[in-house]
Amino acid sequence: MGTVFSLTLRDVLRPGRLLIWLLVIVGICITGAVWRNFTEGDPAVLLGQFSGTLLMRFVALAAAVFSGMVLSQEVEQKTIVYLLTRATPRWQLLLGRSLAAWLGAALVSAVAILAGSVSLMGLSALGHAALWSVALLVVVGAADFSCLFEGVSVL
């Protein structure tokens, strides 16, 4: 399972793919800066509004894209039969690829929440307890959404 996980994680976090996600994160940062200029209030409340409105949707998008790659690439490249008939048990193959997809979605989402929070609240966001609560929700949300979208893709 370790080999499957590392190969899938390497594929998920390829520089070309990460560049696109980084461009989306820059868009989130710009949105956070604009959000800060047009709203007033407690920073924790602003972060909660920003997270609920934009960042959690980003987590769902990242999880859908990363978990969609768990099986779709093999089906499209017609290597699924080879992968499922190898000496690696099916459950190890699916678990390793699923964990790599979840980790990729969680990492990209965590960077987005950190960047968006800093653009919204400044560097003081890093010391704010609300940020770390939202970051934990992002990691759990990435796992939940990944499981959901992988289940749909398996069906």
Side-chain angles (χ1 to χ4, degrees):
M1 184 176 78
T3 304
V4 172
F5 173 78
S6 62
L7 289 173
T8 305
L9 188 62
R10 188 178 310 143
D11 185 47
V12 163
L13 298 177
R14 282 193 329 230
R17 287 192 179 144
L18 285 181
L19 180 63
I20 294 169
W21 287 108
L22 288 175
L23 291 174
V24 173
I25 291 171
V26 167
I28 288 174
C29 290
I30 292 169
T31 305
V34 170
W35 190 293
R36 180 186 63 219
N37 289 332
F38 288 110
T39 56
E40 294 179 9
D42 182 36
V45 173
L46 290 178
L47 180 60
Q49 292 171 346
F50 188 65
S51 298
T53 304
L54 182 66
L55 293 175
M56 291 305 166
R57 288 177 173 86
F58 177 82
V59 173
L61 174 67
V65 170
F66 285 121
S67 63
M69 292 185 292
V70 169
L71 291 178
S72 67
Q73 288 179 334
E74 278 71 30
V75 172
E76 289 173 8
Q77 298 169 0
K78 300 191 185 338
T79 57
I80 189 72
V81 174
Y82 169 72
L83 284 174
L84 294 178
T85 58
R86 288 189 343 182
T88 304
R90 292 179 188 174
W91 69 270
Q92 284 184 356
L93 181 70
L94 186 59
L95 182 63
R97 293 184 62 84
S98 297
L99 288 174
W102 165 72
L103 184 60
L107 288 174
V108 168
S109 299
V111 169
I113 188 72
L114 289 173
S117 298
V118 167
S119 72
L120 183 67
M121 299 167 40
L123 287 177
S124 66
L126 297 176
H128 208 282
L131 169 65
W132 301 110
S133 299
V134 172
L136 179 62
L137 286 174
V138 162
V139 172
V140 172
D144 291 343
F145 283 124
S146 293
C147 289
L148 173 71
F149 294 123
E150 286 168 25
V152 169
S153 70
V154 167
L155 291 177

